[in-house]
């Protein structure tokens, strides 16, 4: 748990910052199909001091204690969006590796019986779910691991997993293509990269953290249920001094946009 930082950060929303995945009609239609529409969001803030990776918990605590941030935050309680009504007392932060600039980490899915060469997802039998497939089996069952541990930890793969598993009334795809296409779009929206002027190599600048926030009663954001599909990530661009809060609250998404 983090204590209050000696070098306090202050934050202001970048209201002009737009995200294409929240405006593109094709992407919105897919999020609606996956029961995530209206429950997935992104908002960017600027901050006033240099970000230091080792100080990430103090940075996150300042963020969630900042009155400007708190004013903009809402969470779901019994299906109703409500503000954070109690002071935040602590945060828990987990660094998420973010280094990939291509989707080649998904290549093993095509050669191990999970996907057909065409991208179609292989179906399988399941005791509970009649319409089940090997992609969801791989994503939910750690022992069914065809993607390396380091690649599975990458933010790109985490994002892919979140989209594949979707919300409460998710209508699953027969092909992996919509999942990968949407993963790439959101990833590009959220992540900052730079090109080395000499080698021309592209590398990721952003630092990613998964966060859980607590008030005096316990966990208050991004939700109280222990549901992996309810998540909050802080994505920091240290060079621009920008931080994006990317969230999803598991449940029944909107049926129109």
């Amino acid at each position: 748990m983090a204590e209050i930082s000696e070098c306090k950060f202050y934050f202001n929303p970048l209201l002009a910052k737009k995200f294409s995945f929240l405006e593109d009609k094709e992407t919105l239609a897919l999020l609606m199909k996956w029961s995530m529409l209206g429950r997935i969001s992104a908002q960017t803030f600027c901050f006033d001091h240099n970000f230091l990776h080792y100080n990430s918990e103090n940075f996150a605590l300042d963020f969630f204690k900042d009155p400007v941030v708190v004013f903009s935050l809402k969470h779901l309680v019994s299906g109703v969006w409500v503000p954070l009504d109690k002071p935040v007392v602590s945060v828990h932060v987990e660094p998420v590796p973010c280094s990939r600039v291509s989707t080649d980490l998904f290549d093993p899915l095509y050669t191990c019986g999970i996907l057909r060469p065409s991208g179609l997802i292989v179906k399988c039998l399941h005791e509970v779910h009649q319409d089940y497939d090997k992609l969801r089996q791989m994503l939910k069952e750690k022992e069914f691991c065809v993607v390396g541990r380091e690649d599975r930890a990458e933010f790109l793969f985490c994002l892919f997993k979140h989209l594949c598993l979707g919300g409460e009334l998710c209508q699953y795809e027969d092909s992996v293509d919509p999942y990968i296409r949407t993963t790439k779009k959101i990833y590009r929206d959220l992540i900052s990269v730079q090109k080395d002027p000499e080698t021309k190599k592209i590398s990721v600048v952003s630092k990613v953290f998964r966060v859980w926030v607590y008030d005096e009663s316990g966990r208050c954001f991004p939700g109280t249920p222990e549901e992996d599909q309810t998540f909050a990530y802080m994505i920091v661009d240290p060079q621009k001094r920008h931080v994006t809060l990317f969230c999803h609250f598991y449940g029944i998404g909107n049926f129109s946009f």
Side-chain angles (χ1 to χ4, degrees), residues 135-161:
L135 178 59
R136 275 181 283 161
Q137 182 183 20
M138 185 273 294
L139 294 173
K140 289 185 174 183
E141 301 175 14
K142 292 183 180 179
E143 65 272 14
F144 191 67
C145 181
V146 298
V147 177
R149 180 177 298 178
E150 290 185 1
D151 284 342
R152 286 170 71 96
E154 281 279 335
F155 180 59
L156 179 63
F157 191 88
C158 294
L159 182 54
F160 173 74
K161 177 180 178 180

Side-chain angles (χ1 to χ4, degrees), residues 8-233:
K8 188 174 180 62
F9 289 88
Y10 292 92
F11 301 85
N12 282 299
L14 296 177
L15 301 178
K17 172 68 174 178
K18 303 297 182 184
F19 297 91
S20 63
F21 77 91
L22 294 174
E23 298 182 337
D24 176 68
K25 289 185 177 181
E26 179 186 1
T27 305
L28 292 174
L30 288 170
L31 292 174
M32 181 172 66
K33 183 179 180 182
W34 301 335
S35 198
M36 302 178 83
L37 186 65
R39 290 176 167 268
I40 194 167
S41 64
Q43 186 175 3
T44 300
F45 300 79
C46 63
F47 53 90
D48 59 345
H49 295 296
N50 290 333
F51 172 81
L52 301 173
H53 192 279
Y54 69 83
N55 203 28
S56 57
E57 285 208 356
N58 286 326
F59 176 85
L61 183 58
D62 284 349
F63 180 81
F64 286 102
K65 290 173 73 73
D66 189 293
V68 174
V69 175
V70 172
F71 180 77
S72 68
L73 291 183
K74 287 182 171 57
H75 64 147
L76 277 171
V77 177
S78 301
V80 179
W81 292 98
V82 297
L84 299 180
D85 56 351
K86 296 179 181 179
V88 169
V89 297
S90 63
V91 297
H92 177 66
V93 175
E94 287 187 1
V96 179
C98 186
S99 62
R100 304 308 290 256
V101 293
S102 73
T103 57
D104 58 0
L105 61 78
F106 301 122
D107 290 350
L109 302 179
Y110 291 87
T111 58
C112 62
I114 292 176
L115 302 176
R116 310 287 187 197
S118 63
L120 287 177
I121 302 169
V122 177
K123 303 295 183 180
C124 63
L125 297 176
H126 193 273
E127 294 179 358
V128 179
H129 306 286
Q130 293 182 351
D131 182 22
Y132 207 59
D133 59 64
K134 291 193 174 183
L135 178 59
R136 275 181 283 161
Q137 182 183 20
M138 185 273 294
L139 294 173
K140 289 185 174 183
E141 301 175 14
K142 292 183 180 179
E143 65 272 14
F144 191 67
C145 181
V146 298
V147 177
R149 180 177 298 178
E150 290 185 1
D151 284 342
R152 286 170 71 96
E154 281 279 335
F155 180 59
L156 179 63
F157 191 88
C158 294
L159 182 54
F160 173 74
K161 177 180 178 180
H162 287 313
L163 295 177
C164 291
L165 298 181
E168 189 172 345
L169 297 181
C170 182
Q171 300 176 57
Y172 300 103
E173 300 291 335
D174 293 322
S175 169
V176 77
D177 293 346
Y179 295 131
I180 292 181
R181 189 168 65 247
T182 308
T183 297
K184 289 169 62 176
K185 178 177 285 292
I186 298 177
Y187 191 74
R188 287 171 177 169
D189 261 359
L190 297 176
I191 299 302
S192 300
V193 299
Q194 64 182 5
K195 180 185 286 188
D196 187 294
E198 294 184 359
T199 65
K200 308 302 181 183
K201 182 180 180 181
I202 297 174
S203 61
V204 175
V205 173
S206 301
K207 307 299 181 183
V208 181
F209 306 89
R210 189 163 181 174
V211 293
W212 295 264
V213 184
Y214 300 83
D215 60 24
E216 60 186 11
S217 301
R219 177 172 151 184
C220 62
F221 189 87
T224 52
E226 295 296 328
E227 166 59 58
D228 195 53
Q229 286 294 92
T230 294
F231 58 78
Y233 293 94

